[in-house]
Amino acid sequence: MKKIIDGRKYDTDTATELAEWKMGWPREMSRMRETLYRKRTGEYFLLGEGGPDSRYADQVDLTTFSEGWRIMPYTYEQARAWAEDRLSADEYEAIFGEVTEGDGGKVAVSMSISEQARAKLRRESERTGESQSDIVDRLLLSL
């Protein structure tokens, strides 16, 4: 399936399928299936499919609904939250890496950066799958 959203193409045939979650039996009206994908650019998206009584239903007329599907762009943080909610620990770590306990000695910092730097940081995070904090940490430690 393919969809253009905000001038960006999301295509399940060219993206990498990362995980799938299902709810309900195949003939249930409220059945749902969600599949998490990552594009070659590092961007994430979710393909949601469902029956006529699911959140993915298409409205045919005033009182009639049919099965439907929707593609939704996801940030790295949204993809991680989806995976935490729907996948086992092993499945989660296979996608996002091993989770270590504790904060690794990190401290919270507040700062202002230019809009251009913020956009580059966001793109790099989407491309690599790293958190924005980890990118800044890596860049500063390389100085």
Side-chain angles (χ1 to χ4, degrees):
M1 293 181 194
K2 246 188 256 200
K3 183 79 175 156
I4 306 294
I5 301 170
D6 293 330
R8 304 183 74 78
K9 184 161 108 175
Y10 299 89
D11 186 346
T12 59
D13 291 335
T14 58
T16 302
E17 182 178 323
L18 300 175
E20 182 181 85
W21 172 83
K22 294 179 187 178
M23 183 186 84
W25 298 98
R27 296 198 183 272
E28 279 185 37
M29 302 288 269
S30 61
R31 73 188 173 282
M32 289 191 297
R33 180 174 67 181
E34 296 177 339
T35 310
L36 183 65
Y37 289 89
R38 183 173 48 228
K39 295 170 50 172
R40 281 179 256 157
T41 60
E43 297 168 87
Y44 293 88
F45 68 94
L46 190 75
L47 168 64
E49 303 170 88
D53 195 24
S54 75
R55 73 178 85 175
Y56 300 112
D58 283 334
Q59 189 164 6
V60 177
D61 59 36
L62 192 57
T63 59
T64 308
F65 293 85
S66 68
E67 9 183 274
W69 63 274
R70 190 171 316 129
I71 289 179
M72 297 154 285
Y74 266 29
T75 64
Y76 176 73
E77 289 80 13
Q78 289 172 312
R80 283 184 47 194
W82 179 89
E84 280 183 24
D85 189 43
R86 294 192 169 40
L87 304 179
S88 71
D90 289 338
E91 292 170 319
Y92 178 95
E93 289 184 329
I95 297 169
F96 297 103
E98 186 176 346
V99 175
T100 57
E101 302 269 336
D103 63 5
K106 293 187 177 187
V107 294
V109 175
S110 177
M111 69 175 88
S112 297
I113 59 175
S114 70
E115 191 61 38
Q116 184 180 10
R118 172 76 169 136
K120 284 187 174 188
L121 181 59
R122 185 176 291 132
R123 279 195 305 271
E124 181 69 5
S125 177
E126 290 172 349
R127 186 183 71 75
T128 64
E130 285 181 279
S131 71
Q132 293 178 11
S133 295
D134 287 343
I135 293 168
V136 170
D137 200 45
R138 177 173 44 83
L139 291 171
L140 289 174
L141 292 174
S142 71
L143 296 176

